[in-house]
Amino acid sequence: MERPAWAPRSIDISVPSVSRIYDYYLGGSHNFEVDREAARKAMEFMPGLPKIMQANRAFMRRAVRFAAAEGITQFLDIGSGIPTFGNVHEVAQAAAPGAHVMYVDHDPVAVAHSQAVLAGNDDADVFAADLRKPREILSSPQVQRLIDLNRPVALLLVAILHFVEDADDPYGAVAELREALAPGSLLILTHASYEGIPLPPERADGAVDVYKDIRNPLIMRSQNEIERFFEGYDMVEPGLVPMPLWRPETAPEDEDPYAYSGFAGVGRTA
């Protein structure tokens, strides 16, 4: 398999990547046949996966515009993935020129491609780090250069927490990040769940097993379990809801049924 220029030498392009599978679902070009094969296998069980990802991105854009309208000009996106059209820095800087955006991901492809996209943008940056190590993120020179933790920040944890197993204490990591944020900061979050999927759970399990097979287990949490990530936050209306129902810009009834899989919400620190 020929290695394209955008793929760092350090990565094994014969192993599927969650970031590149997500890129494939969104119609991107930064993925390999091994990623497409895994995505197609998951879609055999859950054909609406691309619709779920599109609803996820649409929510993210609405939430970023909401944050900008609330006067927030700093965005910390952990688990940012491979940039596609309408990514956080594009939306935030269009809504609030001069907004600072810090991307964090542990996938070297996501980081390398983000660096290429952000070249020449002094108000946005990316670096490699892991959500499970919040202290390393918060103390990094990149974050300290762009993000003033004494002022409100929009923290994005979009489609990332369902890849963190309970044994790795995702609730503790989210709480540690919250404690570092100034009052008035926002948590913008989406999470996969069996609730809302227009399929029997045992069929959806087939797609979950694909992620387990590529050693990136997909943890499907209940609405109550997802709400726990918002401890210490006041929920912004309409609360934790299926993605199309969070401050929709188009009629939710026009959405594909798969778009209602999983939950989205925004919380504000007191």
Side-chain angles (χ1 to χ4, degrees):
M1 184 189 303
E2 187 176 346
R3 181 182 298 270
W6 53 262
R9 288 277 163 195
S10 58
I11 68 164
D12 184 348
I13 61 176
S14 68
V15 176
S17 150
V18 165
S19 292
R20 298 194 307 264
I21 292 171
Y22 187 78
D23 178 68
Y24 172 72
Y25 288 142
L26 290 173
S29 58
H30 289 82
N31 50 77
F32 303 119
E33 181 54 32
V34 68
D35 307 304
R36 297 188 284 274
E37 183 181 346
R40 288 192 292 264
K41 192 178 295 184
M43 288 168 62
E44 289 176 10
F45 299 98
M46 201 183 297
L49 277 166
K51 294 294 184 183
I52 298 173
M53 306 313 165
Q54 290 162 20
N56 185 78
R57 296 288 293 191
F59 159 77
M60 178 274 287
R61 289 191 287 267
R62 296 196 304 277
V64 167
R65 285 193 291 267
F66 168 79
E70 294 288 296
I72 292 180
T73 58
Q74 304 186 105
F75 296 82
L76 176 58
D77 185 357
I78 301 177
S80 50
I82 295 172
T84 57
F85 176 74
N87 215 46
V88 174
H89 72 281
E90 294 174 330
V91 178
Q93 292 175 349
H100 287 187
V101 179
M102 186 74 247
Y103 291 121
V104 180
D105 204 290
H106 67 83
D107 185 323
V109 171
V111 173
H113 191 52
S114 297
Q115 287 170 337
V117 168
L118 298 173
N121 189 334
D122 293 336
D123 293 327
D125 201 356
V126 60
F127 76 107
D130 195 314
L131 169 62
R132 294 169 294 186
K133 299 176 181 178
R135 201 165 303 167
E136 290 184 12
I137 295 173
L138 296 168
S139 63
S140 70
Q142 295 93 330
V143 167
Q144 293 186 354
R145 180 181 79 83
L146 275 182
I147 305 295
D148 179 359
L149 292 172
N150 295 310
R151 296 192 298 111
V153 175
L155 169 64
L156 288 93
L157 300 176
V158 174
I160 179 64
L161 287 164
H162 47 235
F163 291 114
V164 183
E165 299 181 81
D166 288 343
D168 289 321
D169 192 17
Y171 296 103
V174 174
E176 192 171 340
L177 289 165
R178 183 197 68 232
E179 289 164 7
L181 300 179
S185 294
L186 297 177
L187 170 61
I188 297 171
L189 180 152
T190 64
H191 198 296
S193 177
Y194 285 117
E195 297 174 43
I197 296 177
L199 287 173
E202 56 271 17
R203 184 158 178 80
D205 271 340
V208 172
D209 287 343
V210 171
Y211 284 90
K212 192 182 298 179
D213 290 344
I214 65 170
R215 290 174 289 187
N216 279 281
L218 182 59
I219 313 302
M220 306 290 268
R221 296 188 172 97
S222 69
Q223 184 173 9
N224 288 339
E225 289 171 325
I226 298 167
E227 282 176 344
R228 282 183 54 201
F229 288 115
F230 287 97
E231 287 181 4
Y233 290 90
D234 296 325
M235 293 299 294
V236 171
E237 289 294 330
L240 186 66
V241 294
M243 292 176 287
L245 298 182
W246 197 91
R247 303 191 175 218
E249 295 171 348
T250 57
E253 58 268 22
D254 293 340
E255 290 282 356
D256 186 281
Y258 275 97
Y260 289 83
S261 307
F263 293 95
V266 175
R268 181 184 280 110
T269 55

